[in-house]
Amino acid sequence: MSEEKISGSEALMRSLEYHGVKTIFGYPGGAIMPVFDALYDHLGKLNHILVRHEQGAVHAAQGFARVSGEIGVCLVTSGPGATNTITGIADAMIDSTPIVVIAGQVGAGLLGTDAFQEVDLVGITQPITKWSYQIRRAEDVAWAVARAFYIARSGRPGPVVLDFAKNAQTETTIYAPVDVDFIRSYDPDPETDPKAIAEAVRLIDEAERPFLLVGQGVELGNAQKELRDFIEKADIPCGCTLLGLSALPTNHPLNKGMLGMHGNLGPNVMTNECDVLIAVGMRFDDRVTGKLETYAKQAKVIHLDIDPSEIGKNVAVHVPILGNCKRTLPLLTKLIREKKHTAWIEGFESYEKTEYEKVISREVYPMEGPLNMGEVVHAVNEATHEEAILVTDVGQNQMMACRYFKFKNTRSLVTSGGMGTMGFCLPAAIGATFGSPERTVCAFMGDGGLQMTMQELGTVMEQKVPVKLILLNNNYLGNVRQWQAMFFNRRYSFTPMLNPDYMQIAAAYEIPARRVIERADLQDAIREMLETKGPFLLEVCVIEEGNVLPMTPPGYSVNDMLLEC
């Protein structure tokens, strides 16, 4: 009996199913048509979400991956279809999001001839992926998919691109599933040096003012419990990076808030007062460190990270601890002494009080005037009992949402961190609803970011995606306007926005919507949004020239935070 031969496209479908894929975000086209034809016979096992733009497919795959812990998959055609994914791929790379992008390509015989919709996708994406590979033979499909999924999810996660030549899609091969769990010269979980553990334990035990930075690596490594065990035994206060905010419950007594340019006052100031600084799964981004020449110079730095290239890249490290923090944190916890740092932790209180009086109370509890972004975020957060998934766009809406949204559960924040991609929110929120369908997804965006990927409202309409869209409309590109106000003498060069009527746009997409201008209407509108089954667009007209504070101005030390401007 001869073995069955199937097409490369069918081999792709079977490989995706074998590796546990159930949801794909994509957009068809000529060079990927054989794959979409094969997909037709797998509907039911593979759920394909038709987006309205390929950038939306990648961001949706990112949102899916971030909340589910699984690999996001998207499927696009060649040429402009492939190049439309570049922003999302770069975003996934810098934010360590595991996705696999499968793109059509012209047949192998036409490569290099400038054929219709041919582009060197492998060459373009090699600098912004963990692996980029061109499949030229049907017999290589199962191997390439297995390798792609292993690379995307292992070690420091990230994006992988498979460039699928059309001849390989139509040629036949004998299919057998493939597993990959080893690649020569690729070490996804480097060995941890016992001497480094011993030295870190010594520093932690001797520390009088230890401080820990919680990065997204805690979420990616599923080390949330291991983190809590460690900080509770050693009684170490923490600050969270933007992407690490939901790794530790907001109300945990050792969680002192957000780090960075628009973070909380206490964690930023105390970074430059601690004697031991422990960084877990974070990369010392410039928005966290401020002026590097003055960043934590008084402290001994212990850095736990799975990626050796991050160790010492920006900040000098005294003790590097390589490996997945789910494995390395318990090595420390087992050996450190139980301690109390009561006086040191109480030192945060005066900064918390100052920030509350000068910033938070005015932003969240204004007595009069236009609505503030912060009070809208706070109201939605309270109405969802701090249990919703927060998805944000980029800009003032992002900083306000991340400052005033609170988290009880892990994997509850989806935002574009390192790339700062405007337009990220709407498609990422769509992906998040498929990645965690049992949870409420609240998507905060500005009027600028929404209009960059607004076509994805068509995906919301078609799929009846139950996402709650909160548009904080200030008729400006708010973050740029704030910088123009503070550093460019209020010369508002091309930041005022002439906006469309979002209520009419929502109606055109058959999405229930409501506009709020007066404070007295806010609570009722939020209730209506949350009680409405399916999608809802809540437009809140907020103060036009509001500012996100505190703020560390660019080029300043992390503890030089402005509380007013």
Side-chain angles (χ1 to χ4, degrees):
M1 181 177 175
S2 61
E3 293 181 283
E4 178 191 13
K5 283 193 171 185
I6 61 173
S7 71
S9 296
E10 176 64 20
L12 175 64
M13 296 299 104
R14 296 189 188 185
S15 295
L16 292 176
E17 290 178 2
Y18 179 75
H19 290 284
V21 175
K22 294 182 175 62
T23 303
I24 302 171
F25 304 92
Y27 202 93
I32 199 66
M33 203 175 296
V35 171
F36 272 87
D37 185 65
L39 175 61
Y40 193 83
D41 294 325
H42 288 259
L43 298 179
K45 292 183 179 179
L46 292 172
N47 182 27
H48 178 269
I49 309 304
L50 177 66
V51 297
R52 297 305 188 262
H53 189 283
E54 291 88 355
Q55 182 178 350
V58 186
H59 292 329
Q62 289 177 270
F64 177 91
R66 295 268 280 273
V67 302
S68 69
E70 300 174 7
I71 294 175
V73 178
C74 54
L75 186 62
V76 301
T77 195
S78 66
T83 57
N84 281 343
T85 67
I86 299 302
T87 296
I89 293 170
D91 193 294
M93 185 67 175
I94 199 166
D95 282 353
S96 305
T97 305
I99 61 171
V100 173
V101 177
I102 303 165
Q105 181 58 279
V106 301
L110 292 174
L111 290 170
T113 68
D114 292 332
F116 178 67
Q117 292 192 333
E118 179 193 1
V119 68
D120 182 5
L121 185 62
V122 171
I124 292 170
T125 58
Q126 276 184 335
I128 55 171
T129 56
K130 289 188 71 178
W131 187 51
S132 188
Y133 180 76
Q134 189 173 77
I135 304 173
R136 298 187 183 186
R137 305 184 306 170
E139 62 194 77
D140 295 332
V141 170
W143 169 85
V145 172
R147 186 179 173 104
F149 274 71
Y150 174 64
I151 292 173
R153 71 159 55 93
S154 61
R156 179 179 180 175
V160 169
V161 166
L162 294 178
D163 192 36
F164 200 1
K166 196 167 185 179
N167 66 288
Q169 299 173 36
T170 56
E171 292 169 358
T172 59
T173 184
I174 296 171
Y175 172 76
V178 174
D179 290 298
V180 171
D181 58 10
F182 172 79
I183 297 174
R184 188 176 60 183
S185 78
Y186 173 56
D187 186 7
D189 190 4
E191 184 178 348
T192 303
D193 184 356
K195 294 180 180 178
I197 294 293
E199 178 62 10
V201 168
R202 184 186 69 80
L203 290 176
I204 293 166
D205 283 346
E206 293 177 357
E208 297 180 358
R209 303 182 308 280
F211 188 48
L212 188 142
L213 312 181
V214 180
Q216 188 192 196
V218 175
E219 296 267 52
L220 297 174
N222 296 310
Q224 298 91 344
K225 180 182 182 301
E226 288 76 8
L227 174 72
R228 291 195 302 272
D229 290 344
F230 173 73
I231 62 174
E232 288 168 3
K233 183 176 182 181
D235 199 32
I236 299 177
C238 302
C240 298
T241 68
L242 182 69
L243 295 182
L245 281 173
S246 69
L248 186 66
T250 306
N251 64 358
H252 192 288
L254 292 172
N255 188 346
K256 299 305 175 183
M258 186 169 77
L259 300 161
M261 177 177 282
H262 290 296
N264 295 109
L265 179 62
N268 283 289
V269 172
M270 298 299 245
T271 296
N272 277 4
E273 295 184 8
C274 66
D275 57 3
V276 172
L277 186 66
I278 307 162
V280 183
M282 54 88 71
R283 57 190 180 84
F284 288 110
D285 176 76
D286 60 285
R287 289 295 174 97
V288 166
T289 64
K291 186 178 180 180
L292 276 172
E293 289 79 5
T294 59
Y295 181 78
K297 292 302 180 183
Q298 79 295 336
K300 298 290 186 181
V301 178
I302 302 169
H303 192 173
L304 287 72
D305 208 287
I306 201 167
D307 184 355
S309 70
E310 292 296 346
I311 303 292
K313 184 177 76 175
N314 296 325
V315 172
V317 173
H318 298 85
V319 183
I321 299 179
L322 292 175
N324 188 329
C325 56
K326 188 175 183 65
R327 177 174 58 79
T328 57
L329 277 170
L331 297 177
L332 296 174
T333 306
K334 180 180 179 181
L335 297 175
I336 58 173
R337 296 198 304 264
E338 277 195 54
K339 292 188 69 176
K340 288 294 180 184
H341 298 100
T342 305
W344 164 240
I345 294 172
E346 287 176 349
F348 286 82
E349 294 177 1
S350 63
Y351 297 111
E352 292 167 356
K353 182 180 179 181
T354 298
E355 183 179 353
Y356 182 84
E357 291 175 349
K358 293 190 175 183
V359 178
I360 297 173
S361 62
R362 300 174 186 179
E363 179 66 34
V364 176
Y365 306 106
M367 302 303 294
E368 57 185 4
L371 282 157
N372 291 333
M373 287 188 183
E375 69 176 304
V376 178
V377 174
H378 176 74
V380 173
N381 185 236
E382 284 204 325
T384 56
H385 309 291
E386 302 182 358
E387 294 182 341
I389 291 173
L390 169 65
V391 185
T392 86
D393 212 89
V394 168
Q396 288 186 319
N397 67 88
Q398 177 188 37
M399 293 295 101
M400 288 294 195
C402 291
R403 277 184 56 82
Y404 296 111
F405 216 79
K406 310 301 179 186
F407 304 100
K408 289 182 180 177
N409 305 307
T410 61
R411 292 192 176 272
S412 293
L413 173 61
V414 181
T415 192
S416 174
M419 186 60 63
T421 304
M422 288 182 67
F424 175 88
C425 180
L426 176 54
I430 292 170
T433 64
F434 286 96
S436 189
E438 74 284 356
R439 298 183 65 186
T440 299
V441 175
C442 293
F444 284 86
M445 60 196 74
D447 42 314
L450 172 57
Q451 292 184 79
M452 286 195 170
T453 53
M454 192 161 58
Q455 72 278 350
E456 297 308 328
L457 292 174
T459 308
V460 174
M461 175 181 66
E462 181 174 348
Q463 299 292 332
K464 297 179 172 57
V465 179
V467 62
K468 308 306 178 184
L469 306 170
I470 302 100
L471 170 60
L472 302 175
N473 187 356
N474 60 6
N475 296 305
Y476 274 101
L477 296 176
N479 209 45
V480 183
R481 183 215 56 77
Q482 179 172 336
W483 282 50
Q484 288 173 335
M486 297 176 69
F487 310 122
F488 293 89
N489 299 315
R490 303 180 70 86
R491 290 159 58 89
Y492 293 163
S493 180
F494 297 98
T495 47
M497 297 282 287
L498 178 61
N499 283 313
D501 185 335
Y502 292 107
M503 295 299 98
Q504 291 191 48
I505 289 173
Y509 284 105
E510 301 176 2
I511 297 172
R514 182 169 171 180
R515 176 183 290 128
V516 172
I517 300 174
E518 301 296 331
R519 182 168 286 109
D521 299 326
L522 180 61
Q523 292 292 343
D524 184 65
I526 293 172
R527 178 195 56 77
E528 181 184 355
M529 175 183 71
L530 295 176
E531 290 181 357
T532 299
K533 292 184 178 180
F536 193 97
L537 173 63
L538 175 61
E539 178 188 4
V540 185
C541 300
V542 297
I543 184 171
E544 290 196 344
E545 295 192 37
N547 293 319
V548 184
L549 294 167
M551 180 181 183
T552 302
Y556 279 66
S557 296
V558 69
N559 54 326
D560 290 333
M561 298 199 81
L562 301 177
L563 299 179
E564 52 192 0
C565 61

